[in-house]
Amino acid sequence: MHIVVSGGAGFLGSHLCEVLLNRGDKVTCIDNLATGRAENVARLASNRRFTFVQADVLKPYVSSVRVDAVAHLAGVASPPDYHRMPLETLAVGSRGTENMLELADTHNARFILASTSEVYGDPQVHPQREDYWGNVNPIGPRSVYDESKRYAEAVSMAYSRTRGTNVGIVRIFNTYGPRMRANDGRVVTSFVAQALNGDPLTIYGDGSQTRSFCFVDDLVRALVVMLDSAHTGPINIGNPIERTMTELAELVISLTGSSSSIDYFPLPTDDPTRRKPDIGVAEELLGWRPVVGIEEGLARTIEWFQGRSKEVKAASAELAGEQVGGQGVERLELAALA
Ligand code: UDP
């Protein structure tokens, strides 16, 4: 198959490109390198079935060769990134998705939308099943991401209904692993960078909020099964084992053997309190369930970051600076008020 992967130089996208090439597919990776990195796909460049195109999905993409499937992973997924790039985040979720749908529709290709557990917002139903419609604040700071993905789902379904496009929607829950950027601001990378550097781990809120963390290999395996299937979804993809942020921090400290302490900062606005996927549909329709436990997945992630000490050092310093310049100031102000 010839598969176009948008966001193919990103964390998830680059792993997907690699798996597809390994099984013999031809892959065209489109990425504008806004949050993706050329180095993520550098070692794929020698494969003659791999093409890298530095392009923005905000512009229509025309392929002169037949496309069998489009995996639309381009997007701004890390909260600090989408707070920094709110308009770009909305644009890529809306116009970017429309352009990738047009590409799939033109070629009668399968279209996979990488949607998100964020469509459930701060969920009032737990664990989250696909038939739950969510609890999203449409005007809060997270809305640029949440609503753009909700729109992406809506427009994908509209293409499916009106044009018969072969759409498949996956809702991806927190995923981690090698090739995340140390400074991307998400909790796993922040904790690992801070622990490896011996800096305090920064817990937002009291650490009782939960997430369910899926290792990247498991996630990508599900994407490939979805790509090969004809299911429309949406289908939750994630690891249903739920952890509090305090548990995660303690686990990272123990796995790194770090002497880091823990510092507490205010919880960001609209930060979801609990998140855990019900993966019954994925198990039934895709025959998929995750197999990598968090201890193993974190160990593999830590090992990867251990080989990138310069990046880790810089990230940890950057994160500390952000706390002082951003949330840290808020904390000082709160302390002053008290
Ligand atoms: N978080 C934290 N410390 C950090 C970064 C994030 O305690 O340095 C918290 C964040 O407030 C949220 C959880 O960890 O409750 C997961 O955050 P992340 O940004 O990784 O993903 P998302 O909120 O999109 O699930």
Side-chain angles (χ1 to χ4, degrees), residues 77 79-80 82 118 142 174 185-188 190-191 194 202-204 209 211 213 245 267-268 271-272 275 319 323:
Y82 58 71
E118 282 286 324
R142 289 180 92 95
N174 297 65
R186 279 184 275 194
V187 70
V188 171
S190 297
F191 284 0
Q194 290 158 341
T202 52
I203 287 188
Y204 301 163
Q209 74 271 35
R211 294 293 186 273
F213 296 100
M245 293 313 101
L267 196 64
D271 198 274
R275 183 183 288 158
L319 289 163
Q323 305 315 327

Side-chain angles (χ1 to χ4, degrees), residues 183-202:
N183 67 348
D184 91 344
R186 279 184 275 194
V187 70
V188 171
T189 38
S190 297
F191 284 0
V192 169
Q194 290 158 341
L196 288 177
N197 217 37
D199 291 332
L201 272 59
T202 52

Side-chain angles (χ1 to χ4, degrees), residues 67-244:
V67 174
D68 300 298
V70 177
H72 178 41
L73 273 63
V76 186
S78 164
D81 284 342
Y82 58 71
H83 290 143
R84 200 165 40 84
M85 300 187 277
L87 297 177
E88 293 86 342
T89 304
L90 283 162
V92 69
S94 53
R95 209 166 348 124
T97 302
E98 288 164 14
N99 286 333
M100 291 297 101
L101 278 161
E102 278 297 323
L103 174 68
D105 186 52
T106 305
H107 290 264
N108 268 325
R110 171 82 164 145
F111 176 84
I112 296 298
L113 173 68
S115 184
T116 169
S117 55
E118 282 286 324
V119 300
Y120 301 121
D122 189 3
Q124 289 169 329
V125 168
H126 195 76
Q128 292 79 56
R129 278 175 28 156
E130 291 85 347
D131 55 8
Y132 174 51
W133 293 352
N135 176 39
V136 173
N137 173 359
I139 57 166
R142 289 180 92 95
S143 67
V144 294
Y145 184 64
D146 301 8
E147 297 292 12
S148 77
K149 287 291 188 181
R150 288 170 69 96
Y151 174 79
E153 289 198 8
V155 72
S156 299
M157 289 309 298
Y159 267 74
S160 163
R161 290 190 187 106
T162 61
R163 305 244 191 115
T165 313
N166 182 3
V167 163
I169 299 172
V170 286
R171 291 182 178 156
I172 297 174
F173 283 65
N174 297 65
T175 303
Y176 68 98
R179 291 196 205 142
M180 292 179 95
R181 288 174 294 133
N183 67 348
D184 91 344
R186 279 184 275 194
V187 70
V188 171
T189 38
S190 297
F191 284 0
V192 169
Q194 290 158 341
L196 288 177
N197 217 37
D199 291 332
L201 272 59
T202 52
I203 287 188
Y204 301 163
D206 64 4
S208 64
Q209 74 271 35
T210 69
R211 294 293 186 273
S212 305
F213 296 100
C214 187
F215 189 64
V216 62
D217 290 5
D218 280 331
L219 197 285
V220 168
R221 194 162 42 81
L223 288 182
V224 174
V225 182
M226 188 64 172
L227 202 64
D228 290 342
S229 84
H231 294 297
T232 306
I235 301 184
N236 288 340
I237 303 294
N239 189 317
I241 299 175
E242 191 182 3
R243 306 274 172 166
T244 66

